[in-house]
Amino acid sequence: MSRKHKAQMRRRSVMTLVPMALVSGSLMAQEQAKEPPADGGVERVTITATKRLTFVQDTPLAVTAFSQKDLDKAQVKDLTSLQSMIPNLSVEQHGDSGGVHVFLRGVGSTNHTELGDPAVAFHVDGVYSPRPQGATVLMYDLASVEVARGPQGTLFGRNATAGSVNLITAKPKLNETSGSAQVLFGDRHHASLQGVLNMPLAEGLALRVAAVTNRQDGWVDFQPRSYVQPGARKYGASDQAGLRATLLYEASENVTATMALENYRDQGTGNVSLMQKPRAGQKLYSALIDTPGALDQETTTARARFDIRPTDGMELSYIGSVTRMERQNASDNDAGTLPGFKQEHRTEWSRFANSTHELNLKSTDGGPFQWIGGLFMIKEDNKIRFDIDISQIGVPAGDGPIVVSPHLPTDVAWAMSFIQPKRTLDSKAVFGQTSYALSKAFTVTAGARYTTETKQDVGGRNWVCPDFGATIANGGHLIGPGGPVDAASCGSAHAPGTWPGGGANDGKTDDSAWTYLGRAEYKVSPDMLGYATVSTGFKSGGLSDGGRRHKPEFLTNYEAGLKSEFMNRSLALNVAAFLMKYKDMQVSAIEKQANGQQQLVTSNAARATIQGVEAELSWNLTKADRLSGNVSLLDAHYDDFLTCDSALRDCANSANFVNLKDSKLRHAPKFSTTLAFEHDVAMDRGGKLTPRAQVHYQTVSYLSEFNSAPSASEVAGSFSDARTQKAYSTLDLSLRYEAPKGQWMAEAFVTNVTDAEVKTDASWNPGSTWTAFYNAPRTMGVKLGYKF
């Protein structure tokens, strides 16, 4: 932010600040741009959810924002650990992709592959990250995290039908040498180190470098007879590292440039599904493993932003990025549910390359008429090879190790390989939004966006080696890590394009759509803002393996909200009520084909309705006591969805199709709440001791569109709550000491104190039993931090 603009910000009132333009320098100064609280008042944090720098309380959106300090207090290090602090946010774990599934208000995508698109858009500094693996990055050295709920497609583009998450990184500070360091030690050999250094390089030029490492042993024990090498890491282990360098250049009061280069690498073990009802003598957090988890995922991103202000009332901005992600990983998909059976999933190689460009022009004069218009484009060029080895052998007598290499003539041994050498996306959009203040209190806003997208698969092939259910006696074999795949060894008995594996994956889709926003907002008083919004969202269609196409999804959202502050701004209360109507909602699931192959496909649910109320609270009870949290009521159900329970039924038989009208959407509890309380205890010499407690509670939710499993009489081993997460609560505790002026701190913490067992996804596995992915068990540790 230029010196001139900083001075203007100090002089302007809150009402004038609302329409102020977002510039790169504004992002840089977010930590400084927090309005100092009134005596005993709640601190006001600025956000970028309207592509302008505004306070949360003056932004007519259902949006939540936290500073890095807030995240540190709550032990948040990634999106998974943030979810209880955001109304109706759920994060689902998965094993074979290094990614997560993100849901808002019951809406998300469970297709984490290169085939799928998320329903909750993930951004860093306003730059869109198209792959769901982007949501797994560590949150470190941030100015803020913003989560906007409801469709954000008018300003923030593709795949924001359910909402948008935006990480705003801390920017360099001119003319200041400063830094910080923090270490963490905890159970399961947890060790983390963070460091930040801010350096002025010349007049108007500064560099900020931030780095983090995070390592922790896994929490899923190997059961006896697991086929693992000595020293193998358990599932759930973390090994992450991030490095970010950001350069800020203020060429003049009217020209600002910000450039960042960031690298993130995850070499953990990933997650594994666990038997929901362990066998006698087995622990829940344990598995019979024949494939130890392995992940090597690296993402490198270059981001740039240039802002030119030719006049006092106008700004031209360019925001661009280039990202390359590579991933290899292996996971035990059968989770040891049937001794002697092995289903190993491997990404042998993958590369995901994308570039984004946005050019926008907006008003900055602070007058009654405000506008922004722009162009956006993104290109992806992805490739991947994904293998599955399946074998079935006899179980040796006694307590010896399970043999994973089939060798008897009757042993089953066959494999599948999905090779996609080129999968591309080309998306372009034009957008515009205007606001007009009819009076000092009443403002109307209208916006629209036109998007066109082309997705194409070229040269993709599905192979079966040599055929489904093959045994050693009839030529069965496994591919093995990195093994070759060709017609001589796989599907050789079938003509090209007719192999039982699905044959060719070639196809192309073209979709386009308008999305719009209309809003009215009324300033009831200086401390109370009401608004009503109607907005639409759109996610383009796509292709599943074998060229199967699914249609685009569309959403219309009606929302009304009230943002208010009371008692000299010591209490902030925000309430939003919404009604969301979905058409052709995209739903992904593993389907069993007529030939026995399991395939991840996406289909469309004809109609769904989502409605609810969300409230957020921040209250300084006294100068030493603070209460914060949220509460939500949610009703999310299908109005029309003809489908088949492919986990348990033969979906080639039309008699097995049912209409899921009135079935609940997954991850949509009727009631959920989180409350956090802090109390400062003044210590000698100006320091303070702060105990903190945070409790989260939510009612029953479902992990599948099919809200209950069949009875045991239908499928052996089934139980009614297999795809249900019962009502539960979690408790987090911490005790923090801050030295005078906050120069150093020490903290002890425990998360999930009661060791609650929380399922995030469920599946039917070989061996006639249900497995599930779980959130991490109880974790504890200590932190030490220093600033200079």
Side-chain angles (χ1 to χ4, degrees):
M1 178 178 294
S2 69
R3 299 170 184 83
K4 177 180 178 181
H5 277 224
K6 289 180 182 178
Q8 289 174 340
M9 176 173 284
R10 286 192 292 269
R11 292 193 298 267
R12 288 179 179 177
S13 66
V14 174
M15 288 296 291
T16 307
L17 185 59
V18 174
M20 183 177 177
L22 167 64
V23 296
S24 160
S26 298
L27 288 171
M28 177 270 300
Q30 280 201 56
E31 292 174 299
Q32 300 98 310
K34 297 174 186 176
E35 183 177 280
D39 188 23
V42 174
E43 188 173 59
R44 301 183 114 202
V45 180
T46 53
I47 58 172
T48 66
T50 60
K51 288 191 179 289
R52 299 177 184 274
L53 189 66
T54 63
F55 290 128
V56 172
Q57 292 303 110
D58 297 319
T59 307
L61 294 173
V63 58
T64 305
F66 294 103
S67 66
Q68 183 68 64
K69 187 175 182 180
D70 296 328
L71 300 177
D72 289 343
K73 289 181 179 179
Q75 317 310 323
V76 171
K77 64 181 180 66
D78 54 22
L79 195 58
T80 299
S81 49
L82 179 68
Q83 57 186 319
S84 65
M85 299 173 67
I86 307 293
N88 292 317
L89 174 65
S90 296
V91 179
E92 184 179 283
Q93 304 296 322
H94 205 271
D96 65 1
S97 72
V100 293
H101 306 151
V102 183
F103 290 75
L104 270 172
R105 296 175 173 174
V107 179
S109 171
T110 57
N111 190 336
H112 50 274
T113 72
E114 77 289 347
L115 289 164
D117 288 310
V120 180
F122 189 81
H123 299 81
V124 178
D125 289 337
V127 172
Y128 176 65
S129 176
R131 295 296 96 213
Q133 288 81 5
T136 63
V137 299
L138 292 174
M139 296 183 182
Y140 67 102
D141 194 35
L142 301 179
S144 65
V145 174
E146 307 169 10
V147 181
R149 301 179 295 282
Q152 308 296 316
T154 303
L155 289 180
F156 281 92
R158 67 187 313 264
N159 300 335
T161 47
S164 174
V165 178
N166 195 1
L167 308 187
I168 307 299
T169 63
K171 300 302 183 293
K173 300 174 183 178
L174 299 175
N175 306 314
E176 178 182 308
T177 299
S178 60
S180 65
Q182 179 178 285
V183 294
L184 182 155
F185 299 101
D187 56 348
R188 303 196 305 276
H189 300 99
H190 192 181
S192 178
L193 174 63
Q194 296 184 42
V196 178
L197 180 61
N198 189 94
M199 300 173 289
L201 301 180
E203 180 66 24
L205 183 66
L207 175 69
R208 188 179 185 94
V209 179
V212 61
T213 63
N214 182 68
R215 295 184 179 181
Q216 188 172 23
D217 290 347
W219 43 274
V220 178
D221 291 335
F222 297 126
Q223 292 177 4
R225 301 174 68 188
S226 290
Y227 187 81
V228 295
Q229 298 298 317
R233 296 183 300 168
K234 300 177 183 179
Y235 276 95
S238 300
D239 187 355
Q240 303 152 309
L243 176 65
R244 182 192 309 132
T246 308
L247 186 69
L248 171 68
Y249 178 48
E250 273 195 11
S252 68
E253 290 185 348
N254 297 316
V255 178
T256 306
T258 306
M259 291 163 283
L261 182 63
E262 184 162 13
N263 179 267
Y264 173 74
R265 191 166 189 179
D266 190 341
Q267 294 179 293
T269 58
N271 295 290
V272 67
S273 59
L274 307 173
M275 293 177 64
Q276 295 189 37
K277 291 189 175 181
R279 299 185 180 96
Q282 295 177 354
K283 299 183 299 182
L284 174 65
Y285 297 138
S286 69
L288 183 65
I289 297 298
D290 49 44
T291 301
L295 174 65
D296 189 356
Q297 178 172 288
E298 184 172 16
T299 304
T300 302
T301 301
R303 295 186 295 271
R305 181 180 181 114
F306 302 97
D307 298 289
I308 301 173
R309 296 172 285 279
T311 70
D312 287 340
M314 188 180 300
E315 180 179 76
L316 178 67
S317 299
Y318 166 80
I319 307 116
S321 71
V322 177
T323 300
R324 182 185 177 108
M325 180 179 77
E326 296 183 345
R327 186 182 79 245
Q328 292 179 301
N329 65 287
S331 63
D332 191 326
N333 196 66
D334 62 88
T337 56
L338 183 63
F341 177 81
K342 176 184 177 70
Q343 183 170 336
E344 176 179 295
H345 287 191
R346 297 187 310 277
T347 298
E348 294 289 355
W349 45 259
S350 64
R351 189 204 70 188
F352 305 87
N354 74 78
S355 60
T356 68
H357 305 275
E358 179 178 327
L359 187 68
N360 67 58
L361 183 67
K362 55 181 169 284
S363 59
T364 61
D365 58 7
F369 181 65
Q370 295 294 308
W371 52 268
I372 181 173
L375 303 171
F376 173 82
M377 67 175 292
I378 179 172
K379 289 182 178 290
E380 275 194 279
D381 188 350
N382 303 330
K383 61 180 181 179
I384 188 171
R385 172 178 166 178
F386 179 73
D387 288 357
I388 299 176
D389 277 347
I390 297 177
S391 63
Q392 176 75 62
I393 63 172
V395 179
D399 297 323
I402 297 295
V403 178
V404 297
S405 300
H407 58 282
L408 298 177
T410 56
D411 287 345
V412 173
W414 60 281
M416 293 184 287
S417 186
F418 304 85
I419 302 177
Q420 188 66 55
K422 192 173 186 63
R423 174 164 277 143
T424 61
L425 164 75
D426 188 353
S427 177
K428 299 180 178 68
V430 56
F431 64 91
Q433 185 164 303
T434 63
S435 295
Y436 185 70
L438 298 173
S439 68
K440 290 184 177 180
F442 187 57
T443 300
V444 293
T445 300
R449 187 184 192 101
Y450 180 73
T451 302
T452 177
E453 294 200 352
T454 298
K455 296 176 181 177
Q456 188 168 10
D457 291 346
V458 180
R461 294 294 182 267
N462 296 348
W463 302 80
V464 178
C465 305
D467 208 341
F468 293 104
T471 64
I472 297 297
N474 59 20
H477 67 280
L478 306 181
I479 295 176
V485 180
D486 53 44
S489 60
C490 300
S492 55
H494 306 273
T498 63
W499 301 313
N505 284 338
D506 290 275
K508 183 178 181 181
T509 66
D510 288 288
D511 292 305
S512 59
W514 283 95
T515 52
Y516 65 85
L517 174 142
R519 181 172 61 229
E521 56 186 284
Y522 184 72
K523 199 75 173 177
V524 181
S525 71
D527 294 325
M528 185 175 294
L529 172 69
Y531 64 91
T533 302
V534 57
S535 58
T536 59
F538 154 77
K539 186 163 75 168
S540 65
L543 297 165
S544 296
D545 284 331
R548 171 172 166 174
R549 172 172 163 76
H550 53 272
K551 298 184 293 185
E553 69 175 22
F554 297 90
L555 164 69
T556 302
N557 180 49
Y558 306 92
E559 189 159 324
L562 188 66
K563 296 197 167 185
S564 53
E565 295 173 305
F566 304 97
M567 296 181 285
N568 196 28
R569 283 181 38 204
S570 65
L571 169 62
L573 177 64
N574 299 336
V575 181
F578 55 89
L579 172 63
M580 302 166 69
K581 288 287 188 178
Y582 257 100
K583 178 182 177 183
D584 293 327
M585 176 188 286
Q586 295 173 9
V587 181
S588 298
I590 298 292
E591 285 192 3
K592 188 161 44 182
Q593 308 301 304
N595 55 21
Q597 179 191 8
Q598 288 188 337
Q599 199 167 281
L600 179 64
V601 299
T602 299
S603 56
N604 296 93
R607 294 191 304 274
T609 297
I610 304 167
Q611 54 191 338
V613 178
E614 300 164 340
E616 297 178 277
L617 169 78
S618 184
W619 191 1
N620 288 358
L621 300 165
T622 69
K623 289 185 178 182
D625 300 279
R626 295 173 296 281
L627 179 68
S628 61
N630 61 73
V631 61
S632 64
L633 301 172
L634 186 64
D635 176 20
H637 62 270
Y638 291 105
D639 298 317
D640 185 11
F641 186 17
L642 185 65
T643 187
C644 173
D645 189 356
S646 56
L648 300 169
R649 295 286 182 265
D650 177 9
C651 292
N653 184 351
S654 60
N656 288 327
F657 276 70
V658 296
N659 197 313
L660 296 185
K661 175 180 170 61
D662 297 329
S663 288
K664 303 297 183 183
L665 272 64
R666 61 174 68 191
H667 300 298
K670 289 184 178 179
F671 175 81
S672 61
T673 185
T674 299
L675 290 174
F677 177 74
E678 298 179 356
H679 173 71
D680 294 335
V681 179
M683 307 293 288
D684 292 340
R685 300 180 181 178
K688 65 178 179 181
L689 190 67
T690 306
R692 185 181 190 275
Q694 177 174 298
V695 62
H696 173 75
Y697 170 79
Q698 68 178 54
T699 56
V700 63
S701 61
Y702 301 103
L703 310 177
S704 166
E705 290 71 33
F706 297 88
N707 292 166
S708 63
S711 65
S713 62
E714 295 180 86
V715 178
S718 287
F719 41 95
S720 61
D721 61 350
R723 290 182 280 194
T724 300
Q725 173 54 57
K726 299 178 180 179
Y728 73 92
S729 61
T730 58
L731 173 66
D732 300 336
L733 299 174
S734 65
L735 183 63
R736 183 184 186 98
Y737 174 79
E738 288 189 32
K741 300 181 181 180
Q743 188 174 21
W744 65 272
M745 56 75 62
E747 183 177 38
F749 66 90
V750 184
T751 60
N752 192 10
V753 174
T754 59
D755 214 10
E757 298 169 357
V758 180
K759 295 184 289 187
T760 66
D761 192 14
S763 59
W764 176 255
N765 274 47
S768 298
T769 189
W770 285 95
T771 64
F773 287 93
Y774 287 82
N775 281 338
R778 178 173 49 237
T779 300
M780 59 187 71
V782 295
K783 293 190 291 189
L784 298 172
Y786 177 76
K787 296 180 180 180
F788 64 90

